[in-house]
């Protein structure tokens, strides 16, 4: 059954191309207040899509992205005409964010959410030393590396793929745990975890080897421990044109060179 969207709100990145597209679309379709809008149309690249998903997290509003940026894996092709028909025909992709709870060396705890991945990075010339536990059991007593990340299926084609992590189908009940330039154990290439797993990463020698934790756009420096788990209470809805669903794009990515 198709959905009918009458109240559309437009958001755009700061690039001239995205701003010009927004002006044209607002002239043609109007611009509803985001609080009253039935759908949000995001004009830009994947960065804007992530920002928009975070901004409207918890509202249940679907996000339809159109590419007016440099990277548009999550975006649809830009078309000025026929937008309402495209929205009605679009397929829904539902993703759930990760919740990161990070504690720093001063005892401060920060909670943030990530749609793509939670990453830990070394902050000095020395490699990080990390201990990884899954559901309270230590699985890797010491990882010496530039860092490590935990990616959702939606984020598996982003930084995770660049770090040689696996691509996950969107509906796979899995998370990808991927090391960043591992030194020890040298042959460890990461793990696939059930998406109900709770992952705890402890920073060893934190003063000597400082580490930052990043959940999408939120960074916490000098962390000593990070807990990560998926939040199934939040449904994030993206709309994609038929034949260009996120499932299809993830599948296509595995055969593209």
């Amino acid at each position: 059954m198709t959905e009918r969207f009458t109240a559309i709100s437009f958001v755009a990145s700061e690039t001239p191309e995205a701003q010009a597209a927004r002006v044209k679309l607002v002239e043609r379709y109007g611009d509803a207040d985001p609080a009253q809008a039935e759908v949000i149309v995001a004009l830009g690249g994947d960065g804007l899509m992530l920002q928009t998903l975070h901004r409207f997290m918890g509202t249940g509003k679907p996000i339809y992205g159109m590419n007016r940026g440099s990277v548009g894996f999550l975006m649809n092709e830009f078309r000025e005409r026929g937008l309402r028909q495209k929205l009605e025909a679009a397929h829904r992709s539902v993703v759930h964010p990760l919740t990161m709870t990070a504690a720093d060396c001063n005892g401060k705890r920060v909670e943030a959410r990530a749609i793509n991945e939670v990453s830990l990075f070394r902050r000095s010339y020395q490699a990080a030393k990390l201990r990884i536990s899954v559901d309270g059991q230590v699985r890797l007593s010491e990882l010496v590396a530039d860092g490590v990340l935990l990616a959702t299926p939606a984020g598996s084609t982003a930084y995770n793929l660049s770090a040689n992590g696996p691509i996950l189908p969107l509906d796979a009940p899995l998370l990808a745990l991927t090391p960043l330039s591992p030194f020890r154990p040298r042959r460890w290439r990461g793990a696939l975890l059930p998406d109900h797993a709770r992952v705890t990463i402890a920073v060893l020698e934190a003063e000597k080897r400082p580490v930052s934790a990043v959940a999408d756009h939120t960074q916490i420096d000098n962390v000593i421990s990070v807990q990560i788990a998926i939040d199934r209470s939040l449904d994030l809805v993206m709309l994609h044109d038929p034949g260009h669903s996120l499932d299809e794009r993830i599948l296509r990515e595995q055969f593209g060179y």
Side-chain angles (χ1 to χ4, degrees):
M1 180 179 178
T2 59
E3 298 185 59
R4 297 196 174 275
F5 300 104
T6 56
I8 305 172
S9 181
F10 294 93
V11 297
S13 66
E14 296 300 322
T15 65
E17 187 178 25
Q19 289 294 319
R22 184 182 185 278
V23 169
K24 291 180 179 179
L25 291 170
V26 167
E27 288 177 352
R28 184 178 293 272
Y29 302 102
D31 189 24
D33 183 276
Q36 279 73 50
E38 297 162 329
V39 62
I40 309 297
V41 174
L43 304 166
D46 284 353
L48 179 76
M49 174 59 88
L50 289 177
Q51 292 172 18
T52 305
L53 287 166
H54 276 280
R55 176 181 171 185
F56 294 98
M57 191 176 291
T59 67
K61 296 182 187 294
I63 314 296
Y64 180 86
M66 287 201 286
N67 191 12
R68 294 284 85 185
S70 56
V71 179
F73 182 83
L74 300 175
M75 313 302 273
N76 299 287
E77 186 179 354
F78 177 77
R79 286 281 189 275
E80 184 179 335
R81 297 180 181 274
L83 177 59
R84 293 191 191 280
Q85 291 80 2
K86 289 171 73 69
L87 290 174
E88 291 172 8
H91 294 171
R92 296 164 61 93
S93 297
V94 179
V95 298
H96 306 287
L98 295 169
T99 295
M100 175 187 78
T101 304
D104 70 13
C105 59
N106 297 315
K108 181 180 178 181
R109 295 175 67 84
V110 178
E111 185 175 290
R113 288 187 172 86
I115 297 162
N116 273 355
E117 75 278 319
V118 170
S119 307
L120 278 76
F121 303 101
R122 67 183 177 103
R123 297 191 63 238
S124 74
Y125 62 91
Q126 288 188 302
K129 284 189 177 182
L130 309 170
R131 182 173 63 238
I132 300 174
S133 302
V134 180
D135 293 328
Q137 182 176 349
V138 175
R139 293 294 183 179
L140 192 57
S141 59
E142 185 177 276
L143 169 66
V144 182
D146 282 353
V148 68
L149 64 83
L150 186 69
T152 65
S156 68
T157 57
Y159 187 20
N160 172 72
L161 180 59
S162 298
N164 295 316
I167 295 176
L168 304 177
L170 189 64
D171 59 355
L174 298 170
L175 300 171
L177 182 66
T178 302
L180 306 175
S181 302
F183 179 67
R184 291 283 189 274
R186 194 176 295 275
R187 294 183 180 179
W188 189 64
R189 291 295 178 262
L192 291 176
L193 305 178
D195 65 359
H196 55 74
R198 301 185 66 85
V199 179
T200 302
I201 303 172
V203 179
L204 309 178
E205 303 179 20
E207 291 187 7
K208 180 181 178 183
R209 303 169 185 268
V211 169
S212 293
V214 180
D216 283 354
H217 307 109
T218 302
Q219 177 171 320
I220 300 94
D221 294 330
N222 300 315
V223 296
I224 58 172
S225 70
V226 175
Q227 295 180 336
I228 314 163
I230 203 160
D231 186 352
R232 291 201 165 275
S233 69
L234 288 173
D235 291 345
L236 306 178
V237 181
M238 289 179 281
L239 300 177
H240 291 100
D241 295 334
H244 297 277
S245 69
L246 199 54
D247 276 320
E248 172 64 23
R249 294 174 191 212
I250 289 174
L251 185 60
R252 195 185 307 159
E253 188 74 21
Q254 297 177 80
F255 294 91
Y257 295 93

